[in-house]
Amino acid sequence: MKLFGGSGGHSSKPGRAKQGKAAKEKQPASAAPQPARAVSNAAQTAPKPTGKKGGKVKKQLTKRQKRRRIIITVAVIIALFAGLAAAGAMFIRPPQHTNDPTIKDTENGDKINVNGLLNSGTRIDDVVTFVIGAVDEDETRTDALMVATMDTNQKTINVMNIPRDTMCNNGASGASRKINAAYGMGGIEQTKTEIERLMGFQPDYYVIVNFDGIAAIVDAIGGVDYEVPFRMQYDDPSQDLHIDLQAGMQHLDGEQVVHFLRWRHNNDYSVQYPNGDEGRVENQQKFLKELANQVFQLRNITKIPDIADAVFQNVKTDLTAGNLLWMGMQALQIDNSKIQFFTLPGYGQMSTAGSSTAFSFFFPYYQETLDLVNQYFNPYEEDITALDMVSGPESYSGGGYDDTDP
């Protein structure tokens, strides 16, 4: 049985026989019989039907037939959406809290000693935390490091930028005390441990992206519009790095965005961020907020497959594809004004860090960091009360610090 085939397209043969009989009765009795060839010619010169490609002309559907077609069509669409919704419910799932302070093995229910954690408490529903790192060319250091807390109930995303030169309380010496070295020393687990010392909790998930991934994501949406604050020129043949960006509003492609994010100063130091790495982090915050604003536009819905391909080709993460889709759908519901960026409170200062060479470091402020974390990032219902950070000099009167070392 055809779902959409009406009965109006079928003609009854008895009807045509009846019409032929009536025409025969109207013929005058005195009319002479016509030769057989004349009848044949008349049949050949009869006008063709006006239907599509000379086919049969379909009758107009009755109201009942139209209503039946509409009902069947709607039913099919509902069935398709119901099937997609069922499949989506099985695939698109919110991330779970992987760092529950009372459970070590969620499958077996093994308890752990919470005394080994800096802080513990009751997790807030609908809050997920994750660390985002951008690694350098050889993927041994994190060139940018951020910790994000997403609250899908309050519809907020708060992001903490951690300066790459932040000194860690890990017992290492020299440049190895910087948090950007943690990834090369012990991978993402070491990085998460250092974050716990600085912020009082370990992020639930991680997303590590290389520069190729950032470029691919930007290219997937057709580039971004952004006002470059300086004339940026830098050449490093050893890295095959050649930065040349004009100041002012620019439409940047993926490669240019990477150059913008990596730039710290011109070769002759005539142009640089006023306060070293802190200024670079602040500039990255502004750019990433604008990038998020341009990525999460309704016009980019059709580009989701390209964005997803760029992510999975260049990103290391413990989030599933379903988790990422769920988080992307949640992010689309969050107003750009509810996405806030912060920088770890602190200051820059030179230090040997137990070595014979002085390196530039960033020292965080304990109380200011604790207050900021509890207000915007804490995933527990209870306040975080302890951090494990290095206390630097009591004050610093300098106007910045040298950040040319690793």
Side-chain angles (χ1 to χ4, degrees):
M1 178 183 69
K2 294 184 179 179
L3 291 179
F4 301 103
S7 60
H10 296 282
S11 300
S12 70
K13 293 182 179 179
R16 283 203 298 269
K18 186 176 181 180
Q19 290 176 1
K21 183 178 181 181
K24 189 174 183 180
E25 288 176 353
K26 291 180 181 179
Q27 187 176 356
S30 59
Q34 298 296 321
R37 183 170 182 84
V39 174
S40 177
N41 289 340
Q44 291 177 4
T45 58
K48 294 183 179 180
T50 57
K52 185 178 180 181
K53 295 183 179 180
K56 297 176 182 178
V57 180
K58 294 183 178 180
K59 290 183 180 180
Q60 291 291 328
L61 294 175
T62 65
K63 289 184 178 180
R64 182 178 180 181
Q65 290 169 331
K66 289 180 179 179
R67 193 183 308 115
R68 182 171 178 268
R69 284 193 178 188
I70 292 172
I71 292 172
I72 293 174
T73 303
V74 171
V76 170
I77 292 173
I78 291 175
L80 287 173
F81 274 102
L84 290 173
M90 296 174 62
F91 179 69
I92 303 175
R93 292 178 176 271
Q96 302 300 309
H97 299 148
T98 61
N99 287 295
D100 188 311
T102 61
I103 299 294
K104 180 179 181 181
D105 186 335
T106 56
E107 183 177 348
N108 299 317
D110 296 336
K111 300 293 181 180
I112 65 172
N113 181 10
V114 296
N115 293 327
L117 299 173
L118 281 176
N119 302 276
S120 61
T122 306
R123 284 297 298 255
I124 302 173
D125 292 335
D126 306 316
V127 170
V128 180
T129 62
F130 49 97
V131 54
I132 306 167
V135 293
D136 56 14
E137 294 296 324
D138 56 6
E139 299 192 4
T140 58
R141 292 185 297 269
T142 49
D143 200 59
L145 191 65
M146 295 166 283
V147 178
T149 296
M150 172 186 275
D151 188 330
T152 58
N153 182 33
Q154 298 296 322
K155 305 296 183 187
T156 60
I157 297 177
N158 295 314
V159 182
M160 176 81 87
N161 272 278
I162 300 177
R164 66 198 298 270
D165 293 339
T166 299
M167 179 176 278
C168 298
N169 196 13
N170 58 13
S173 62
S176 296
R177 292 286 292 272
K178 296 184 178 186
I179 197 168
N180 74 329
Y183 189 75
M185 293 170 61
I188 190 60
E189 293 305 320
Q190 183 65 35
T191 301
K192 289 167 70 174
T193 296
E194 302 300 347
I195 290 171
E196 181 186 12
R197 290 174 173 149
L198 291 171
M199 298 182 66
F201 67 92
Q202 281 202 23
D204 297 316
Y205 294 94
Y206 69 88
V207 178
I208 301 296
V209 59
N210 56 36
F211 285 120
D212 288 339
I214 295 172
I217 292 170
V218 171
D219 287 337
I221 64 170
V224 295
D225 296 320
Y226 193 75
E227 188 162 355
V228 179
F230 314 114
R231 177 75 169 94
M232 298 180 174
Q233 291 179 297
Y234 182 82
D235 287 288
D236 185 354
S238 65
Q239 299 185 63
D240 193 24
L241 179 61
H242 308 283
I243 300 173
D244 187 7
L245 297 175
Q246 298 290 334
M249 181 59 70
Q250 306 289 338
H251 184 76
L252 306 176
D253 61 21
E255 183 180 23
Q256 290 172 317
V257 164
V258 171
H259 289 172
F260 173 79
L261 293 175
R262 295 190 66 182
W263 184 87
R264 305 172 88 179
H265 53 74
N266 286 351
N267 285 97
D268 60 0
Y269 289 88
S270 61
V271 181
Q272 59 185 311
Y273 288 115
N275 52 345
D277 202 35
E278 295 168 82
R280 179 173 179 247
V281 167
E282 181 182 352
N283 207 44
Q284 287 176 341
Q285 288 177 350
K286 293 178 181 178
F287 174 80
L288 291 173
K289 187 168 186 177
E290 180 58 29
L291 177 60
N293 183 43
Q294 295 187 38
V295 168
F296 295 121
Q297 296 281 339
L298 288 177
R299 68 172 182 266
N300 288 326
I301 288 179
T302 58
K303 301 173 183 176
I304 287 178
D306 294 331
I307 296 172
D309 182 65
V311 169
F312 282 102
Q313 291 292 330
N314 300 283
V315 170
K316 296 178 181 178
T317 180
D318 52 355
L319 288 161
T320 67
N323 293 156
L324 289 170
L325 283 172
W326 182 87
M327 293 175 70
M329 291 166 62
Q330 297 298 315
L332 287 172
Q333 301 176 40
I334 297 176
D335 188 84
N336 194 46
S337 63
K338 298 294 185 179
I339 302 175
Q340 298 188 82
F341 285 84
F342 303 87
T343 300
L344 188 71
Y347 61 94
Q349 177 64 287
M350 300 297 291
S351 172
T352 60
S355 70
S356 59
T357 305
F359 296 94
S360 59
F361 281 95
F362 181 86
F363 295 92
Y365 292 126
Y366 187 98
Q367 192 59 48
E368 289 182 27
T369 300
L370 191 61
D371 293 342
L372 189 63
V373 167
N374 279 319
Q375 185 173 357
Y376 295 102
F377 297 93
N378 186 3
Y380 302 118
E381 292 182 3
E382 300 82 8
D383 277 353
I384 287 175
T385 58
L387 303 176
D388 184 16
M389 57 176 57
V390 177
S391 58
E394 292 295 325
S395 62
Y396 176 60
S397 59
Y401 65 103
D402 180 30
D403 62 349
T404 57
D405 57 275

